[in-house]
Amino acid sequence: MTPADQSAAARKICLMAPIIPVIVVKDVAHAEPLARALVAGGLPALEVTLRTPCALEAIRAMAGVAGGVVGAGTLITPADVRAAKAAGAQFGVSPGATDALLRACEDEGLPLLPGAATATEAMVLLERGYSVQKFFPAEVAGGAAALKAIGAPLPQISFCPTGGISPQNAGSYLALANVLCAGGSWVAPDAMVQAGDWAGIEALARAAAALPR
């Protein structure tokens, strides 16, 4: 899969809903009901971060949920890419980008949202063919104002900002011409997941899905 093909696939995923839930799964038993709640609420693209021992099992469980498109976040190494693809991940998200990581995703045919925080990083990825990228860490890297400024000379790049996005500031990102969607963890708060409050999570997802962009 070429970088251009990857970005085309990533664009379709990003356009599914205004928010991509960024999920940390601590108990694989929560994976399927969590995915069902988020998808039912209108958020079909799900990013499961590879930050817990059961993350790959969670991806495998979520991959069977009808209407969902499950991806793997926090991809760092080629081994992460291969493991995520084998578990059923349909896209990947990385905090940054290295040649080895990009090559692994291209070889595995895994659509990738590669991370960039500066104009230089975004330009390097664009030069390779990645026109859809993750802006991370969004708030720390200057927030919506910085992303708007980057967009002025680089309008051909579209972003999914992630990192510090909340219901309070999501609108300022989604209003930007170079933003397709945003990544947010507030739609799957740990306390509600641990309590099995799937109806509550579905309600949060429904509110996030209704955000204008």
Side-chain angles (χ1 to χ4, degrees), residues 58-154:
I59 289 172
R60 197 169 285 112
M62 289 181 171
V65 173
V69 179
V70 183
T74 324
L75 294 179
I76 306 295
T77 67
D80 290 338
V81 174
R82 291 188 290 269
K85 183 71 183 295
Q90 293 171 269
F91 68 97
V93 185
S94 61
T98 66
D99 284 338
L101 181 69
L102 295 174
R103 197 176 308 112
C105 286
E106 291 158 11
D107 290 346
E108 290 291 328
L110 186 68
L112 177 69
L113 274 171
T118 67
T120 297
E121 292 171 356
M123 287 169 64
V124 169
L125 286 167
L126 180 64
E127 188 177 75
R128 186 160 178 153
Y130 290 90
S131 60
V132 179
Q133 304 172 15
K134 170 184 175 178
F135 181 60
F136 176 83
E139 282 292 283
V140 174
L147 195 49
K148 181 179 180 179
I150 288 173
L154 297 169

Side-chain angles (χ1 to χ4, degrees), residues 176-190:
L176 298 178
N178 60 340
V179 168
L180 298 174
C181 66
S185 59
W186 82 85
V187 291
D190 185 59

Side-chain angles (χ1 to χ4, degrees), residues 22-90:
V22 179
I23 304 164
V24 178
V25 180
K26 298 178 179 178
D27 183 344
V28 72
H30 295 149
E32 187 176 338
L34 173 58
R36 290 189 186 283
L38 291 168
V39 171
L43 303 181
L46 312 173
E47 176 191 338
V48 179
T49 62
L50 300 186
R51 301 181 195 173
T52 61
C54 69
L56 291 171
E57 289 180 74
I59 289 172
R60 197 169 285 112
M62 289 181 171
V65 173
V69 179
V70 183
T74 324
L75 294 179
I76 306 295
T77 67
D80 290 338
V81 174
R82 291 188 290 269
K85 183 71 183 295
Q90 293 171 269

